[in-house]
């Protein structure tokens, strides 16, 4: 049986891994939408430097900031918490591909 301290450490480590994944998803969505860090940061009301640290896993955004970033990226916040191979993320990727085709006039 694990003690409370070891359980806390394991839960904390798992939370950090999930927070790192949020930063990765923000980066992937930003690249997919061909947006600069400055554009997303401005729309989210955060500094470009902070966004860079989130994307490189040096900082973890709080929940309010995650929602602001989702709004800036024009995605449902759930997409930022979904696994990269999840339906939500794939749907967003497909949606972006359709937008690009429409913009190209195809």
């Amino acid at each position: 049986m694990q003690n409370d301290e070891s359980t806390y450490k394991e839960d904390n480590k798992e939370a950090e891994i999930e927070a790192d994944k949020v930063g990765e998803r923000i980066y992937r969505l930003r690249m997919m939408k061909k947006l600069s860090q400055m554009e997303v940061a401005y729309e989210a009301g955060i500094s470009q430097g902070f966004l860079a640290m989130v994307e490189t896993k040096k900082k973890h955004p709080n929940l309010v900031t995650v929602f602001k970033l989702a709004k800036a990226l024009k995605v449902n916040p759930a997409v930022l918490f979904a696994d990269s191979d999840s339906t939500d993320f794939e749907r967003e990727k497909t949606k972006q591909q359709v937008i690009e085709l429409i913009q190209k006039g195809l």
Side-chain angles (χ1 to χ4, degrees), residues 4-5 12 17 32 34 38 40-41 48 52 54 61 79 86 90 105:
D4 289 341
E5 186 177 337
N12 195 33
I17 290 168
M32 194 168 41
K34 297 180 173 75
M38 189 60 76
V40 173
Q48 181 270 329
V54 168
V79 172
S86 76
E90 289 304 313

Side-chain angles (χ1 to χ4, degrees), residues 6-25:
S6 65
T7 301
Y8 173 79
K9 286 179 182 177
E10 286 176 21
D11 289 347
N12 195 33
K13 182 68 175 168
E14 188 174 320
E16 283 186 36
I17 290 168
E18 288 304 314
D20 286 348
K21 288 180 183 178
V22 169
E24 290 173 15
R25 292 180 192 115

